[in-house]
Amino acid sequence: MFTGIDVNKINSSITDDALFVIGNGFDLAHGVKSTYYDFKKSLGNYCYLKDCLEIYIFKDDIWGNFEDSLAHLDRAFILDGIDTGLEMFDVKDEFDDDFSAADYFLAIENTTMPVETIEKELPKKFRRWVEKLNIKDKHFPLAGLLNCHADYINFNYTEFLETHYGINSGCIKYIHGDRRNKKQPLILGHGYDTDELYSDWQNTFNVKMLPKNSPARLRYFSNTDNVKRWKSQSRYDATQAAAYRIEEYYEKAAKKTKNIIEKNREYFKSLSSKNNVIVIGHSLSFVDYPYFLEIIKCHQNPDKINWYISFHNDDDIERIKNFAAFLNVEKDKVKIFNI
């Protein structure tokens, strides 16, 4: 069990030269409606993007851990729509005199429309929602904890550290983007290696659940490209094209934390003497583990790092336990506090 500490006892001797890591729980503590359930609500009842997310992503509750959910697009469900598309546009075999390339590509586009919608509409609607987030109540629950001399990694897209607490912008690294910068995309995505993700899915998916000649079964699980099994060359080629588009989505939906860390290499090196890391409102999701590993990797003596991590409920404590185990942080170096 971790040692608990009263937030009021985390004094300036700890925070003066600390690194604060700020997550969405910070905004929530200030009354900001910033959960992914709130994002869902902002989409309204009749939104094709929301329908695509909830229908084609294979998870019971995609909004509970939304970024992770983006790695669970249902390949088989989407791909098995290729027959419907080919029939809808009356696509002939490619060797038929009546074959229409336009109809062929329309069939593929119809099949992959959910992929296109998520990929193109999600960033736009997500930014539109983030830009409307605001603090309505003028209360300052962390006034005694935050320190203007410390450094901050802000995983949020909002600038409330600056506007609400007066923290200098030069002390804050907006690791996933600052909503005020219209030219910078807001980084959102899953944290999986796409090759491993594909292999895991292929190894665990129950192929017997699919119809014998379904495009998904033939595309992903067959060891032969025998056209006779595909009924026509058009069906085979259209399935390959749709499958390629699906796998392309997985790559584009990845957060690419390695690239972000590499881009901020010097910044992480500058944290090498920060012996106190104070984590406020961060979910400690697996997708963000690489950033914490980099903090440890760049530290001149990582065994000296003291971790102060906020929690809200028992689930948070379990996440802290998993986090500490994965990062090989000794329990006596972790103190938890409630905000």
Side-chain angles (χ1 to χ4, degrees), residues 316-332:
D316 290 340
I317 294 176
E318 187 64 24
R319 278 191 286 270
I320 295 171
K321 178 181 177 182
N322 294 335
F323 169 82
F326 188 90
L327 272 63
N328 291 317
V329 175
E330 296 295 333
K331 286 186 177 181
D332 63 354

Side-chain angles (χ1 to χ4, degrees), residues 2 75 126 135 151 162 168 212 215 225 227 253 279 302 304:
F2 300 109
R75 291 172 170 90
F126 184 73
I135 295 179
D151 285 297
E162 298 179 49
N168 189 291
K212 184 177 181 180
D225 292 336
V227 176
V279 183
K304 287 189 175 182

Side-chain angles (χ1 to χ4, degrees), residues 99-304:
F99 172 77
S100 167
D103 291 341
Y104 168 80
F105 287 113
L106 281 172
I108 298 172
E109 183 179 324
N110 181 76
T111 302
T112 59
M113 183 64 71
V115 180
E116 296 287 338
T117 298
I118 295 172
E119 194 173 288
K120 293 181 179 180
E121 292 299 315
L122 178 58
K124 292 189 293 185
K125 292 187 182 298
F126 184 73
R127 175 179 273 279
R128 194 175 304 153
W129 170 69
V130 167
E131 289 178 348
K132 293 179 180 179
L133 298 177
N134 61 83
I135 295 179
K136 295 181 179 180
D137 300 323
K138 292 296 182 181
H139 68 293
F140 304 85
L142 299 173
L145 177 61
L146 303 183
N147 193 312
C148 63
H149 300 295
D151 285 297
Y152 293 79
I153 298 181
N154 191 0
F155 281 80
N156 300 333
Y157 314 100
T158 52
E159 66 283 0
F160 302 138
L161 279 169
E162 298 179 49
T163 59
H164 206 63
Y165 287 98
I167 304 299
N168 189 291
S169 62
C171 297
I172 305 170
K173 171 62 68 175
Y174 290 88
I175 198 70
H176 288 157
D178 179 346
R179 67 178 181 175
R180 295 169 296 182
N181 186 344
K182 306 298 184 180
K183 296 181 179 179
Q184 181 186 33
L186 302 181
I187 298 172
L188 176 77
H190 67 80
Y192 296 92
D193 178 279
T194 52
D195 290 334
E196 291 180 5
L197 198 64
Y198 173 78
S199 296
D200 289 344
W201 175 79
Q202 194 175 40
N203 291 334
T204 58
F205 191 82
N206 185 0
V207 64
K208 294 180 180 179
M209 294 175 61
L210 300 175
K212 184 177 181 180
N213 288 316
S214 74
R217 182 168 185 169
L218 292 173
R219 169 62 179 85
Y220 288 117
F221 299 101
S222 175
N223 292 321
T224 177
D225 292 336
N226 188 332
V227 176
K228 290 182 179 179
R229 299 187 64 197
W230 287 91
K231 300 179 183 177
S232 73
Q233 186 68 45
S234 293
R235 186 173 185 251
Y236 171 77
D237 290 342
T239 301
Q240 307 313 303
Y244 177 83
R245 183 66 189 87
I246 293 170
E247 297 311 317
E248 187 179 50
Y249 157 84
Y250 272 94
E251 180 63 29
K252 291 183 178 180
K255 186 174 275 187
K256 298 181 177 62
T257 52
K258 288 182 181 179
N259 294 347
I260 298 170
I261 290 171
E262 185 59 37
K263 182 180 178 181
N264 293 282
R265 181 71 62 193
E266 293 305 313
Y267 173 76
F268 282 100
K269 287 181 180 179
S270 74
L271 305 174
S272 63
S273 63
K274 299 290 183 179
N275 290 334
N276 297 307
V277 178
I278 302 171
V279 183
I280 300 177
H282 197 288
S283 63
L284 303 179
S285 296
F286 184 78
V287 65
D288 292 325
Y289 277 15
Y291 300 112
F292 293 98
L293 287 170
E294 191 65 19
I295 292 170
I296 293 172
K297 176 183 175 182
C298 291
H299 199 277
Q300 58 192 15
N301 193 341
D303 291 338
K304 287 189 175 182

Side-chain angles (χ1 to χ4, degrees), residues 46 77 134:
Y46 304 102
F77 189 28
N134 61 83

Side-chain angles (χ1 to χ4, degrees), residues 65-124:
N65 191 346
F66 184 67
E67 289 187 287
D68 181 86
S69 296
L70 295 175
H72 297 277
L73 192 71
D74 195 332
R75 291 172 170 90
F77 189 28
I78 294 175
L79 203 59
D80 278 343
I82 199 71
D83 286 334
T84 301
L86 293 172
E87 182 178 348
M88 179 185 301
F89 295 98
D90 194 24
V91 178
K92 308 298 183 184
D93 188 77
E94 292 174 31
F95 303 109
D96 194 300
D97 291 340
D98 292 328
F99 172 77
S100 167
D103 291 341
Y104 168 80
F105 287 113
L106 281 172
I108 298 172
E109 183 179 324
N110 181 76
T111 302
T112 59
M113 183 64 71
V115 180
E116 296 287 338
T117 298
I118 295 172
E119 194 173 288
K120 293 181 179 180
E121 292 299 315
L122 178 58
K124 292 189 293 185

